[in-house]
Amino acid sequence: HAHYETEMILICNHGRIVVTTEDVYGHKDEFILEDSSKGVFLPRLCWHEMTYSEGAIQLVLCSTLYREEDYIRDYARFSEIRNDHITGARN
């Protein structure tokens, strides 16, 4: 999923979390979180998926309060937004 407005920092307090990301310009990355002194910043409009080890505990610091309408849960919708940004960047 992604968020229209929310920015986040993800931290793994216990276990291991693999975070795959795709930003609005199509850049893809993978982060392995297994050290609670480090985290990954996710800006708004960043598609992310997480894979958790058994017993993993995640801490999420968010820039906004929870609002369901802030979520982009459909990858096809995210792709539309990404394509709009890429096209706009070329103009």
Side-chain angles (χ1 to χ4, degrees), residues 27-82:
H27 179 79
K28 296 180 182 182
D29 246 318
E30 180 177 273
F31 302 91
I32 298 173
L33 302 176
E34 53 192 358
D35 177 351
S36 62
S37 70
K38 297 183 173 139
V40 62
F41 172 72
L42 300 178
R44 61 188 285 278
L45 298 175
C46 179
W47 186 265
H48 55 284
E49 298 178 5
M50 291 136 335
T51 304
Y52 301 90
S53 69
E54 185 173 335
I57 299 172
Q58 179 177 346
L59 172 67
V60 181
L61 306 173
C62 297
S63 64
T64 64
L65 296 174
Y66 173 82
R67 288 182 11 256
E68 178 59 34
E69 59 273 11
D70 185 47
Y71 280 73
I72 305 167
R73 297 190 186 274
D74 179 43
Y75 186 77
R77 173 67 184 131
F78 176 76
S79 293
E80 290 173 8
I81 294 167
R82 184 189 64 227

Side-chain angles (χ1 to χ4, degrees), residues 7-23:
E7 298 177 320
M8 300 184 293
I9 297 173
L10 305 180
I11 299 168
C12 181
N13 282 345
H14 179 77
R16 177 183 172 142
I17 303 170
V18 177
V19 183
T20 56
T21 64
E22 181 177 350
D23 70 20

